[in-house]
Amino acid sequence: LDADVVVVAAPGLASTPTVQRRITVAAALVQAPGLDAAPRGTGVLVAGPSGTRARALTHSSAKWRTLGTDDGHHLVRLSYDARPDGRVPTSEEVQRDVRTLTGVADAEVRQMHTRTWVRTIATTPSVPAGQPSPVLVGEAAGVTGLAAVVENARAQATLLIHRPTTQGASS
């Protein structure tokens, strides 16, 4: 293929190396009047030691107000690295993590559902010296979340539009 730019959008067509990561998400209905004020905004990303196994907490009722209630109930979503033994977080663990990450001491999990899946994440491929680096978007670029993926894709498209072309070279 002789081209200045090649766009690969279908899974399995790119030669980008991947790694697999198992993720467990716990969605919980929490009784917590202290969450009414959204003390951590719409969520928390966990970086480093925190006293919790959760990697992130989304306060869904704060992020999407239509999911909220007027009686102190809130929907939250916590993300975890899946355990090798397949065990999912218990409601007690999720309750503890919600309390730790939000600072709301009286949060009580009323209902909870978990789901575990394997996520395939692209890693940056090695590029021979003198060759242009591939332009990666989505999780292949190391970004997650719809807003970040869209922002990154727009930025990369702008770079491609303004990238100098080289007759006969492929990118």
Side-chain angles (χ1 to χ4, degrees), residues 111-145:
Q111 291 182 16
M112 185 182 85
H113 297 280
T114 61
R115 188 74 68 223
T116 300
W117 73 92
V118 175
R119 229 171 113 186
T120 301
I121 302 170
T123 59
T124 305
S126 59
V127 178
Q131 293 292 318
S133 295
V135 175
L136 304 175
V137 296
E139 287 191 339
V143 295
T144 57

PDB file of all heavy atoms in Angstrom, residues 111-145:
ATOM      1  N   GLN A 111     -28.738  -1.490  47.115  1.00  0.00           N
ATOM      2  CA  GLN A 111     -28.765  -2.503  46.048  1.00  0.00           C
ATOM      3  C   GLN A 111     -27.467  -2.375  45.270  1.00  0.00           C
ATOM      4  O   GLN A 111     -26.894  -1.288  45.184  1.00  0.00           O
ATOM      5  CB  GLN A 111     -29.938  -2.268  45.092  1.00  0.00           C
ATOM      6  CG  GLN A 111     -31.288  -2.518  45.679  1.00  0.00           C
ATOM      7  CD  GLN A 111     -32.383  -2.301  44.631  1.00  0.00           C
ATOM      8  OE1 GLN A 111     -32.140  -2.254  43.440  1.00  0.00           O
ATOM      9  NE2 GLN A 111     -33.609  -2.172  45.117  1.00  0.00           N
ATOM     10  N   MET A 112     -27.047  -3.497  44.678  1.00  0.00           N
ATOM     11  CA  MET A 112     -25.808  -3.457  43.927  1.00  0.00           C
ATOM     12  C   MET A 112     -25.789  -4.545  42.865  1.00  0.00           C
ATOM     13  O   MET A 112     -26.325  -5.637  43.067  1.00  0.00           O
ATOM     14  CB  MET A 112     -24.633  -3.658  44.889  1.00  0.00           C
ATOM     15  CG  MET A 112     -23.287  -3.508  44.231  1.00  0.00           C
ATOM     16  SD  MET A 112     -21.938  -3.806  45.374  1.00  0.00           S
ATOM     17  CE  MET A 112     -21.807  -5.577  45.261  1.00  0.00           C
ATOM     18  N   HIS A 113     -25.179  -4.232  41.739  1.00  0.00           N
ATOM     19  CA  HIS A 113     -24.960  -5.199  40.659  1.00  0.00           C
ATOM     20  C   HIS A 113     -23.515  -5.059  40.199  1.00  0.00           C
ATOM     21  O   HIS A 113     -22.984  -3.951  40.156  1.00  0.00           O
ATOM     22  CB  HIS A 113     -25.902  -4.945  39.476  1.00  0.00           C
ATOM     23  CG  HIS A 113     -27.344  -5.114  39.838  1.00  0.00           C
ATOM     24  ND1 HIS A 113     -27.937  -6.354  39.915  1.00  0.00           N
ATOM     25  CD2 HIS A 113     -28.293  -4.218  40.161  1.00  0.00           C
ATOM     26  CE1 HIS A 113     -29.197  -6.193  40.277  1.00  0.00           C
ATOM     27  NE2 HIS A 113     -29.441  -4.906  40.428  1.00  0.00           N
ATOM     28  N   THR A 114     -22.892  -6.182  39.860  1.00  0.00           N
ATOM     29  CA  THR A 114     -21.529  -6.143  39.351  1.00  0.00           C
ATOM     30  C   THR A 114     -21.469  -6.807  37.985  1.00  0.00           C
ATOM     31  O   THR A 114     -22.304  -7.656  37.651  1.00  0.00           O
ATOM     32  CB  THR A 114     -20.530  -6.864  40.289  1.00  0.00           C
ATOM     33  OG1 THR A 114     -20.913  -8.235  40.408  1.00  0.00           O
ATOM     34  CG2 THR A 114     -20.472  -6.206  41.654  1.00  0.00           C
ATOM     35  N   ARG A 115     -20.482  -6.405  37.216  1.00  0.00           N
ATOM     36  CA  ARG A 115     -20.237  -7.004  35.918  1.00  0.00           C
ATOM     37  C   ARG A 115     -18.721  -6.976  35.700  1.00  0.00           C
ATOM     38  O   ARG A 115     -18.076  -5.965  35.936  1.00  0.00           O
ATOM     39  CB  ARG A 115     -20.940  -6.213  34.816  1.00  0.00           C
ATOM     40  CG  ARG A 115     -20.911  -6.836  33.473  1.00  0.00           C
ATOM     41  CD  ARG A 115     -21.825  -8.033  33.303  1.00  0.00           C
ATOM     42  NE  ARG A 115     -23.212  -7.653  33.349  1.00  0.00           N
ATOM     43  CZ  ARG A 115     -24.142  -8.344  34.015  1.00  0.00           C
ATOM     44  NH1 ARG A 115     -23.838  -9.426  34.668  1.00  0.00           N
ATOM     45  NH2 ARG A 115     -25.392  -7.970  34.022  1.00  0.00           N
ATOM     46  N   THR A 116     -18.177  -8.094  35.236  1.00  0.00           N
ATOM     47  CA  THR A 116     -16.750  -8.187  34.937  1.00  0.00           C
ATOM     48  C   THR A 116     -16.595  -8.515  33.467  1.00  0.00           C
ATOM     49  O   THR A 116     -17.337  -9.325  32.921  1.00  0.00           O
ATOM     50  CB  THR A 116     -16.080  -9.291  35.794  1.00  0.00           C
ATOM     51  OG1 THR A 116     -16.247  -8.961  37.172  1.00  0.00           O
ATOM     52  CG2 THR A 116     -14.594  -9.399  35.477  1.00  0.00           C
ATOM     53  N   TRP A 117     -15.648  -7.877  32.809  1.00  0.00           N
ATOM     54  CA  TRP A 117     -15.362  -8.156  31.419  1.00  0.00           C
ATOM     55  C   TRP A 117     -13.880  -7.960  31.148  1.00  0.00           C
ATOM     56  O   TRP A 117     -13.152  -7.383  31.944  1.00  0.00           O
ATOM     57  CB  TRP A 117     -16.211  -7.309  30.474  1.00  0.00           C
ATOM     58  CG  TRP A 117     -15.830  -5.869  30.397  1.00  0.00           C
ATOM     59  CD1 TRP A 117     -14.967  -5.299  29.509  1.00  0.00           C
ATOM     60  CD2 TRP A 117     -16.285  -4.811  31.233  1.00  0.00           C
ATOM     61  NE1 TRP A 117     -14.863  -3.954  29.747  1.00  0.00           N
ATOM     62  CE2 TRP A 117     -15.671  -3.628  30.809  1.00  0.00           C
ATOM     63  CE3 TRP A 117     -17.157  -4.749  32.313  1.00  0.00           C
ATOM     64  CZ2 TRP A 117     -15.889  -2.407  31.421  1.00  0.00           C
ATOM     65  CZ3 TRP A 117     -17.375  -3.514  32.918  1.00  0.00           C
ATOM     66  CH2 TRP A 117     -16.755  -2.379  32.464  1.00  0.00           C
ATOM     67  N   VAL A 118     -13.468  -8.446  29.996  1.00  0.00           N
ATOM     68  CA  VAL A 118     -12.082  -8.293  29.568  1.00  0.00           C
ATOM     69  C   VAL A 118     -12.028  -7.127  28.594  1.00  0.00           C
ATOM     70  O   VAL A 118     -12.798  -7.078  27.630  1.00  0.00           O
ATOM     71  CB  VAL A 118     -11.554  -9.575  28.893  1.00  0.00           C
ATOM     72  CG1 VAL A 118     -10.146  -9.345  28.351  1.00  0.00           C
ATOM     73  CG2 VAL A 118     -11.573 -10.730  29.878  1.00  0.00           C
ATOM     74  N   ARG A 119     -11.145  -6.215  28.871  1.00  0.00           N
ATOM     75  CA  ARG A 119     -10.935  -5.063  28.005  1.00  0.00           C
ATOM     76  C   ARG A 119      -9.627  -5.268  27.253  1.00  0.00           C
ATOM     77  O   ARG A 119      -8.599  -5.544  27.858  1.00  0.00           O
ATOM     78  CB  ARG A 119     -10.799  -3.827  28.885  1.00  0.00           C
ATOM     79  CG  ARG A 119     -11.634  -2.697  28.480  1.00  0.00           C
ATOM     80  CD  ARG A 119     -11.581  -1.647  29.539  1.00  0.00           C
ATOM     81  NE  ARG A 119     -10.895  -0.509  28.981  1.00  0.00           N
ATOM     82  CZ  ARG A 119     -10.577   0.550  29.657  1.00  0.00           C
ATOM     83  NH1 ARG A 119     -10.845   0.647  30.930  1.00  0.00           N
ATOM     84  NH2 ARG A 119      -9.981   1.545  29.077  1.00  0.00           N
ATOM     85  N   THR A 120      -9.659  -5.158  25.950  1.00  0.00           N
ATOM     86  CA  THR A 120      -8.445  -5.249  25.149  1.00  0.00           C
ATOM     87  C   THR A 120      -7.991  -3.832  24.860  1.00  0.00           C
ATOM     88  O   THR A 120      -8.723  -3.041  24.276  1.00  0.00           O
ATOM     89  CB  THR A 120      -8.698  -6.018  23.842  1.00  0.00           C
ATOM     90  OG1 THR A 120      -9.172  -7.319  24.183  1.00  0.00           O
ATOM     91  CG2 THR A 120      -7.434  -6.125  23.016  1.00  0.00           C
ATOM     92  N   ILE A 121      -6.774  -3.518  25.307  1.00  0.00           N
ATOM     93  CA  ILE A 121      -6.254  -2.165  25.187  1.00  0.00           C
ATOM     94  C   ILE A 121      -5.024  -2.206  24.290  1.00  0.00           C
ATOM     95  O   ILE A 121      -4.104  -3.008  24.500  1.00  0.00           O
ATOM     96  CB  ILE A 121      -5.886  -1.605  26.572  1.00  0.00           C
ATOM     97  CG1 ILE A 121      -7.121  -1.631  27.474  1.00  0.00           C
ATOM     98  CG2 ILE A 121      -5.309  -0.203  26.462  1.00  0.00           C
ATOM     99  CD1 ILE A 121      -6.813  -1.332  28.923  1.00  0.00           C
ATOM    100  N   ALA A 122      -5.019  -1.341  23.292  1.00  0.00           N
ATOM    101  CA  ALA A 122      -3.870  -1.273  22.392  1.00  0.00           C
ATOM    102  C   ALA A 122      -2.700  -0.610  23.109  1.00  0.00           C
ATOM    103  O   ALA A 122      -2.881   0.262  23.950  1.00  0.00           O
ATOM    104  CB  ALA A 122      -4.239  -0.480  21.149  1.00  0.00           C
ATOM    105  N   THR A 123      -1.522  -1.057  22.785  1.00  0.00           N
ATOM    106  CA  THR A 123      -0.307  -0.442  23.314  1.00  0.00           C
ATOM    107  C   THR A 123       0.442   0.198  22.155  1.00  0.00           C
ATOM    108  O   THR A 123       0.223  -0.153  20.991  1.00  0.00           O
ATOM    109  CB  THR A 123       0.589  -1.483  24.008  1.00  0.00           C
ATOM    110  OG1 THR A 123       0.921  -2.492  23.068  1.00  0.00           O
ATOM    111  CG2 THR A 123      -0.109  -2.101  25.196  1.00  0.00           C
ATOM    112  N   THR A 124       1.294   1.130  22.458  1.00  0.00           N
ATOM    113  CA  THR A 124       2.024   1.829  21.407  1.00  0.00           C
ATOM    114  C   THR A 124       2.971   0.862  20.703  1.00  0.00           C
ATOM    115  O   THR A 124       3.809   0.234  21.344  1.00  0.00           O
ATOM    116  CB  THR A 124       2.819   2.999  22.009  1.00  0.00           C
ATOM    117  OG1 THR A 124       1.921   3.831  22.725  1.00  0.00           O
ATOM    118  CG2 THR A 124       3.508   3.806  20.926  1.00  0.00           C
ATOM    119  N   PRO A 125       2.817   0.727  19.396  1.00  0.00           N
ATOM    120  CA  PRO A 125       3.694  -0.191  18.668  1.00  0.00           C
ATOM    121  C   PRO A 125       5.102   0.393  18.534  1.00  0.00           C
ATOM    122  O   PRO A 125       5.280   1.603  18.556  1.00  0.00           O
ATOM    123  CB  PRO A 125       3.017  -0.298  17.298  1.00  0.00           C
ATOM    124  CG  PRO A 125       2.255   0.974  17.147  1.00  0.00           C
ATOM    125  CD  PRO A 125       1.839   1.379  18.548  1.00  0.00           C
ATOM    126  N   SER A 126       6.071  -0.488  18.398  1.00  0.00           N
ATOM    127  CA  SER A 126       7.431   0.003  18.158  1.00  0.00           C
ATOM    128  C   SER A 126       7.523   0.401  16.693  1.00  0.00           C
ATOM    129  O   SER A 126       6.969  -0.253  15.816  1.00  0.00           O
ATOM    130  CB  SER A 126       8.452  -1.063  18.512  1.00  0.00           C
ATOM    131  OG  SER A 126       8.223  -2.210  17.731  1.00  0.00           O
ATOM    132  N   VAL A 127       8.214   1.497  16.453  1.00  0.00           N
ATOM    133  CA  VAL A 127       8.327   2.033  15.104  1.00  0.00           C
ATOM    134  C   VAL A 127       9.811   2.066  14.736  1.00  0.00           C
ATOM    135  O   VAL A 127      10.620   2.585  15.509  1.00  0.00           O
ATOM    136  CB  VAL A 127       7.734   3.461  15.033  1.00  0.00           C
ATOM    137  CG1 VAL A 127       7.896   4.044  13.645  1.00  0.00           C
ATOM    138  CG2 VAL A 127       6.275   3.447  15.451  1.00  0.00           C
ATOM    139  N   PRO A 128      10.171   1.509  13.587  1.00  0.00           N
ATOM    140  CA  PRO A 128      11.578   1.547  13.176  1.00  0.00           C
ATOM    141  C   PRO A 128      12.075   2.986  13.062  1.00  0.00           C
ATOM    142  O   PRO A 128      11.312   3.893  12.719  1.00  0.00           O
ATOM    143  CB  PRO A 128      11.574   0.867  11.802  1.00  0.00           C
ATOM    144  CG  PRO A 128      10.295   0.100  11.747  1.00  0.00           C
ATOM    145  CD  PRO A 128       9.323   0.828  12.617  1.00  0.00           C
ATOM    146  N   ALA A 129      13.338   3.183  13.367  1.00  0.00           N
ATOM    147  CA  ALA A 129      13.937   4.512  13.277  1.00  0.00           C
ATOM    148  C   ALA A 129      13.725   5.087  11.884  1.00  0.00           C
ATOM    149  O   ALA A 129      13.829   4.388  10.881  1.00  0.00           O
ATOM    150  CB  ALA A 129      15.423   4.427  13.603  1.00  0.00           C
ATOM    151  N   GLY A 130      13.406   6.359  11.838  1.00  0.00           N
ATOM    152  CA  GLY A 130      13.193   7.045  10.572  1.00  0.00           C
ATOM    153  C   GLY A 130      11.789   6.947  10.033  1.00  0.00           C
ATOM    154  O   GLY A 130      11.450   7.616   9.069  1.00  0.00           O
ATOM    155  N   GLN A 131      10.959   6.112  10.639  1.00  0.00           N
ATOM    156  CA  GLN A 131       9.570   5.973  10.199  1.00  0.00           C
ATOM    157  C   GLN A 131       8.686   6.885  11.058  1.00  0.00           C
ATOM    158  O   GLN A 131       8.939   7.053  12.245  1.00  0.00           O
ATOM    159  CB  GLN A 131       9.088   4.530  10.354  1.00  0.00           C
ATOM    160  CG  GLN A 131       9.765   3.550   9.434  1.00  0.00           C
ATOM    161  CD  GLN A 131       9.380   3.796   7.995  1.00  0.00           C
ATOM    162  OE1 GLN A 131       8.225   4.055   7.684  1.00  0.00           O
ATOM    163  NE2 GLN A 131      10.364   3.736   7.105  1.00  0.00           N
ATOM    164  N   PRO A 132       7.645   7.454  10.464  1.00  0.00           N
ATOM    165  CA  PRO A 132       6.744   8.283  11.272  1.00  0.00           C
ATOM    166  C   PRO A 132       5.951   7.421  12.253  1.00  0.00           C
ATOM    167  O   PRO A 132       5.623   6.269  11.957  1.00  0.00           O
ATOM    168  CB  PRO A 132       5.813   8.932  10.240  1.00  0.00           C
ATOM    169  CG  PRO A 132       5.909   8.065   9.030  1.00  0.00           C
ATOM    170  CD  PRO A 132       7.264   7.404   9.065  1.00  0.00           C
ATOM    171  N   SER A 133       5.686   7.967  13.412  1.00  0.00           N
ATOM    172  CA  SER A 133       4.891   7.248  14.409  1.00  0.00           C
ATOM    173  C   SER A 133       3.447   7.188  13.949  1.00  0.00           C
ATOM    174  O   SER A 133       2.934   8.133  13.347  1.00  0.00           O
ATOM    175  CB  SER A 133       4.956   7.968  15.758  1.00  0.00           C
ATOM    176  OG  SER A 133       6.259   7.935  16.245  1.00  0.00           O
ATOM    177  N   PRO A 134       2.771   6.087  14.244  1.00  0.00           N
ATOM    178  CA  PRO A 134       1.353   6.018  13.871  1.00  0.00           C
ATOM    179  C   PRO A 134       0.539   6.977  14.732  1.00  0.00           C
ATOM    180  O   PRO A 134       0.912   7.294  15.857  1.00  0.00           O
ATOM    181  CB  PRO A 134       0.977   4.564  14.173  1.00  0.00           C
ATOM    182  CG  PRO A 134       1.961   4.124  15.203  1.00  0.00           C
ATOM    183  CD  PRO A 134       3.227   4.882  14.933  1.00  0.00           C
ATOM    184  N   VAL A 135      -0.552   7.438  14.176  1.00  0.00           N
ATOM    185  CA  VAL A 135      -1.476   8.294  14.914  1.00  0.00           C
ATOM    186  C   VAL A 135      -2.524   7.384  15.515  1.00  0.00           C
ATOM    187  O   VAL A 135      -3.212   6.651  14.799  1.00  0.00           O
ATOM    188  CB  VAL A 135      -2.120   9.350  13.989  1.00  0.00           C
ATOM    189  CG1 VAL A 135      -3.171  10.141  14.742  1.00  0.00           C
ATOM    190  CG2 VAL A 135      -1.052  10.263  13.414  1.00  0.00           C
ATOM    191  N   LEU A 136      -2.632   7.388  16.820  1.00  0.00           N
ATOM    192  CA  LEU A 136      -3.565   6.510  17.511  1.00  0.00           C
ATOM    193  C   LEU A 136      -4.675   7.331  18.145  1.00  0.00           C
ATOM    194  O   LEU A 136      -4.439   8.434  18.647  1.00  0.00           O
ATOM    195  CB  LEU A 136      -2.834   5.716  18.595  1.00  0.00           C
ATOM    196  CG  LEU A 136      -1.636   4.887  18.129  1.00  0.00           C
ATOM    197  CD1 LEU A 136      -0.935   4.258  19.320  1.00  0.00           C
ATOM    198  CD2 LEU A 136      -2.079   3.822  17.139  1.00  0.00           C
ATOM    199  N   VAL A 137      -5.887   6.784  18.129  1.00  0.00           N
ATOM    200  CA  VAL A 137      -7.020   7.440  18.778  1.00  0.00           C
ATOM    201  C   VAL A 137      -7.753   6.419  19.639  1.00  0.00           C
ATOM    202  O   VAL A 137      -7.501   5.222  19.560  1.00  0.00           O
ATOM    203  CB  VAL A 137      -7.990   8.082  17.753  1.00  0.00           C
ATOM    204  CG1 VAL A 137      -7.305   9.203  16.990  1.00  0.00           C
ATOM    205  CG2 VAL A 137      -8.561   7.047  16.816  1.00  0.00           C
ATOM    206  N   GLY A 138      -8.675   6.888  20.465  1.00  0.00           N
ATOM    207  CA  GLY A 138      -9.441   6.012  21.339  1.00  0.00           C
ATOM    208  C   GLY A 138      -8.552   5.383  22.384  1.00  0.00           C
ATOM    209  O   GLY A 138      -7.540   5.950  22.792  1.00  0.00           O
ATOM    210  N   GLU A 139      -8.902   4.182  22.812  1.00  0.00           N
ATOM    211  CA  GLU A 139      -8.100   3.509  23.826  1.00  0.00           C
ATOM    212  C   GLU A 139      -6.711   3.170  23.315  1.00  0.00           C
ATOM    213  O   GLU A 139      -5.782   3.015  24.094  1.00  0.00           O
ATOM    214  CB  GLU A 139      -8.826   2.269  24.343  1.00  0.00           C
ATOM    215  CG  GLU A 139      -9.978   2.633  25.232  1.00  0.00           C
ATOM    216  CD  GLU A 139     -10.547   1.438  25.973  1.00  0.00           C
ATOM    217  OE1 GLU A 139     -10.333   0.294  25.540  1.00  0.00           O
ATOM    218  OE2 GLU A 139     -11.196   1.663  26.996  1.00  0.00           O
ATOM    219  N   ALA A 140      -6.544   3.066  21.992  1.00  0.00           N
ATOM    220  CA  ALA A 140      -5.223   2.807  21.441  1.00  0.00           C
ATOM    221  C   ALA A 140      -4.261   3.939  21.787  1.00  0.00           C
ATOM    222  O   ALA A 140      -3.065   3.752  21.867  1.00  0.00           O
ATOM    223  CB  ALA A 140      -5.307   2.642  19.927  1.00  0.00           C
ATOM    224  N   ALA A 141      -4.799   5.141  22.002  1.00  0.00           N
ATOM    225  CA  ALA A 141      -3.980   6.299  22.364  1.00  0.00           C
ATOM    226  C   ALA A 141      -3.843   6.422  23.875  1.00  0.00           C
ATOM    227  O   ALA A 141      -3.243   7.375  24.371  1.00  0.00           O
ATOM    228  CB  ALA A 141      -4.587   7.570  21.785  1.00  0.00           C
ATOM    229  N   GLY A 142      -4.432   5.479  24.598  1.00  0.00           N
ATOM    230  CA  GLY A 142      -4.321   5.517  26.053  1.00  0.00           C
ATOM    231  C   GLY A 142      -5.337   6.426  26.721  1.00  0.00           C
ATOM    232  O   GLY A 142      -5.169   6.796  27.872  1.00  0.00           O
ATOM    233  N   VAL A 143      -6.396   6.798  26.021  1.00  0.00           N
ATOM    234  CA  VAL A 143      -7.433   7.641  26.623  1.00  0.00           C
ATOM    235  C   VAL A 143      -8.707   6.831  26.799  1.00  0.00           C
ATOM    236  O   VAL A 143      -9.009   5.942  26.010  1.00  0.00           O
ATOM    237  CB  VAL A 143      -7.714   8.914  25.791  1.00  0.00           C
ATOM    238  CG1 VAL A 143      -6.506   9.828  25.769  1.00  0.00           C
ATOM    239  CG2 VAL A 143      -8.129   8.585  24.376  1.00  0.00           C
ATOM    240  N   THR A 144      -9.428   7.119  27.858  1.00  0.00           N
ATOM    241  CA  THR A 144     -10.698   6.451  28.106  1.00  0.00           C
ATOM    242  C   THR A 144     -11.751   7.499  28.431  1.00  0.00           C
ATOM    243  O   THR A 144     -11.436   8.606  28.843  1.00  0.00           O
ATOM    244  CB  THR A 144     -10.603   5.451  29.273  1.00  0.00           C
ATOM    245  OG1 THR A 144     -10.152   6.144  30.428  1.00  0.00           O
ATOM    246  CG2 THR A 144      -9.644   4.323  28.957  1.00  0.00           C
ATOM    247  N   GLY A 145     -12.975   7.130  28.247  1.00  0.00           N
ATOM    248  CA  GLY A 145     -14.089   8.047  28.484  1.00  0.00           C
ATOM    249  C   GLY A 145     -14.424   8.766  27.193  1.00  0.00           C
ATOM    250  O   GLY A 145     -13.532   9.176  26.435  1.00  0.00           O
TER     251      GLY A 145
END
